[in-house]
Amino acid sequence: MKIGVLGGGQLARMLSLAGTPLGVDFVFLCQAHDACAATVGEHLHARFDDKAALEQLATQVDLLTYEFESVPAESVEYLGSRLPVYPPPGALATARDRWHEKTLFNELGIKTADFINLNSFEDLQQAVPRIGLPAIIKTRTEGYDGKGQRLIRDESELAAAWEAMLDVPAIIEAFVPFAREVSIIAARSVSGELAFYPLTENEHRDGILRKSTALANDPMQGLAESYARRLLEHLDYVGVLAIEFFQVGDELLVNEMAPRVHNSGHWTIEGAETSQFENHIRAILDWPLGSTALRGHAVMLNLIGDLPDSKKILAQPHAHLHLYGKDERPGRKVGHITICAENEAEVNACIEAIGPV
Ligand code: AMP
């Protein structure tokens, strides 16, 4: 069995690390010379719109998946006409456009912050009195890790904010004074089997995820699962889906979904019975899904920009180090650490011993 992956970054690498023991081989289509998945599979070095490379990939693999959303729709369409592509291209198209995804959430009765579509500066001027300030402008497509976003605090900032968005289609959305940010990782197989991981609490700095904590028996678990089930079934979804929420009081507002394995689910490698990566592979191959149960307490710390002192981390009995084989660069995700122990005190002691990362 051979799976093709569009993308060759750390998510692709961890998919291969989970799938290889199950006897699955991987081919990654990625234009980067230094694709970090290249060491754990075959690297097809080409752009996503390279017709000959797409053709070669289609003949080489049994089915296809992807590790990020910004794949040209025509490439996915072409591959979809040749072999099974999971998650389904329709879900990908919805998730890559903030306006489409938020509109779908509301149609399915899933709450979001108020938002309005913007095509021009005039649209922005008319939207502000309806949405109120502070508010956030976000590009409809291509935004991630806080990129393509501007916070507007008062009306004097409107013109500069719109200019910074480079006149591309965008949305404006109400600023949410959330109590915390949580996400759920869910999976659905080809034959419709469902699985949900315990909710994860996420802490961001400068728009980038820094810390995820797996939550046992969280009171919001049921609501998050019901929203995830609605989306998975509506989209006839296959694979792992991540949904990010803002919690306000006892409400969950969806921020966005990612039709793929997700950074807030990296703790599942050691912290759950079956990792998100293995369950994604099981789901798209229509194999039985594995248990999502927590193994003790788990926290994930992202390594951003700088490589850590590996020996110091490995000296900690509950720490698991994952380096992605990337060079250091400001703001770049170069690895993560999962701390997994029987109780919270042990996890916290380990985080303290590791120190700031
Ligand atoms: P995003 O790219 O939409 O995932 O946003 C990145 C981060 O910016 C989120 O994880 C939040 O911490 C923050 N953020 C995004 N949208 C809002 C909002 N409407 N209100 C408050 N904070 C937000």
Side-chain angles (χ1 to χ4, degrees):
M1 181 59 66
K2 205 177 247 190
I3 295 179
V5 183
L6 299 178
Q10 68 266 23
L11 300 179
R13 176 177 167 113
M14 289 185 272
L15 280 169
S16 175
L17 291 172
T20 302
L22 302 177
V24 181
D25 294 323
F26 290 82
V27 182
F28 308 104
L29 177 64
C30 181
Q31 67 172 353
H33 283 284
D34 56 352
C36 72
T39 52
V40 293
E42 200 176 317
H43 181 194
L44 205 53
H45 179 229
R47 288 163 51 102
F48 292 133
D49 57 1
D50 180 330
K51 263 281 163 80
L54 293 175
E55 174 59 31
Q56 190 185 335
L57 184 63
T59 54
Q60 258 185 294
V61 301
D62 300 291
L63 76 167
L64 231 121
T65 190
Y66 40 88
E67 66 149 14
F68 80 125
E69 292 92 318
S70 301
V71 184
E74 311 76 59
S75 303
V76 177
E77 209 168 286
Y78 170 73
L79 290 164
S81 69
R82 301 286 313 275
L83 73 175
V85 176
Y86 299 124
L92 175 69
T94 304
R96 62 199 279 163
D97 183 319
R98 290 188 193 272
W99 185 73
H100 281 308
E101 70 173 355
K102 284 176 196 275
T103 302
L104 174 67
F105 298 147
N106 290 173
E107 278 168 9
L108 294 176
I110 298 170
K111 291 182 180 155
T112 61
D114 289 340
F115 64 96
I116 292 177
N117 189 31
L118 304 175
N119 287 311
S120 64
F121 183 57
E122 290 67 42
D123 286 352
L124 175 61
Q125 286 173 305
Q126 285 166 18
V128 164
R130 290 165 60 198
I131 293 289
L133 293 178
I136 300 184
I137 311 184
K138 299 180 176 181
T139 53
R140 278 178 53 169
T141 59
E142 307 278 337
Y144 67 95
D145 285 348
K147 294 191 177 73
Q149 297 195 13
R150 292 286 289 216
L151 174 67
I152 310 174
R153 289 179 204 82
D154 73 82
E155 300 227 4
S156 66
E157 296 169 359
L158 284 189
W162 183 253
E163 212 162 284
M165 303 304 281
L166 302 173
D167 226 15
V168 297
I171 59 164
I172 181 168
E173 124 184 337
F175 183 84
V176 180
F178 54 79
R180 59 177 186 163
E181 291 188 84
V182 295
S183 59
I184 191 161
I185 308 288
R188 184 171 179 270
S189 73
V190 176
S191 48
E193 187 186 354
L194 294 170
F196 304 96
Y197 284 92
L199 220 54
T200 305
E201 183 168 339
N202 301 313
E203 294 168 39
H204 297 81
R205 201 165 64 239
D206 305 326
I208 304 178
L209 181 67
R210 304 287 162 156
K211 181 180 179 190
S212 289
T213 304
L215 304 168
N217 308 314
D218 191 85
M220 304 313 284
Q221 181 77 30
L223 183 60
E225 281 188 18
S226 81
Y227 285 168
R229 182 178 285 110
R230 239 176 268 179
L231 275 166
L232 290 168
E233 286 174 351
H234 174 84
L235 294 165
D236 198 13
Y237 196 88
V238 175
V240 159
L241 175 74
I243 309 171
E244 294 182 70
F245 303 95
F246 300 129
Q247 184 172 348
V248 182
D250 57 6
E251 298 246 54
L252 289 180
L253 305 181
V254 177
N255 179 29
E256 61 182 356
M257 64 176 174
R260 53 171 169 78
V261 286
H262 191 255
N263 196 171
S264 69
H266 289 2
W267 64 265
T268 61
I269 297 175
E270 292 89 9
E273 289 291 337
T274 314
S275 78
Q276 63 163 347
F277 301 99
E278 182 175 335
N279 261 339
H280 183 71
I281 291 158
R282 291 185 186 214
I284 66 178
L285 292 175
D286 206 18
W287 291 348
L289 298 181
S291 164
T292 54
L294 251 176
R295 289 200 282 210
H297 288 254
V299 166
M300 189 258 353
L301 304 174
N302 261 345
L303 298 168
I304 312 284
D306 303 312
L307 289 164
D309 177 349
S310 295
K311 283 187 185 166
K312 186 177 173 193
I313 294 162
L314 296 172
Q316 295 304 318
H318 305 298
H320 303 270
L321 178 61
H322 297 255
L323 297 178
Y324 305 151
K326 290 178 170 182
D327 293 333
E328 296 180 321
R329 191 195 298 160
R332 193 181 207 192
K333 291 175 181 170
V334 293
H336 73 267
I337 306 166
T338 306
I339 297 140
C340 190
E342 263 178 38
N343 60 57
E344 218 177 323
E346 281 175 325
V347 169
N348 290 338
C350 184
I351 294 173
E352 192 136 315
I354 290 171
V357 287

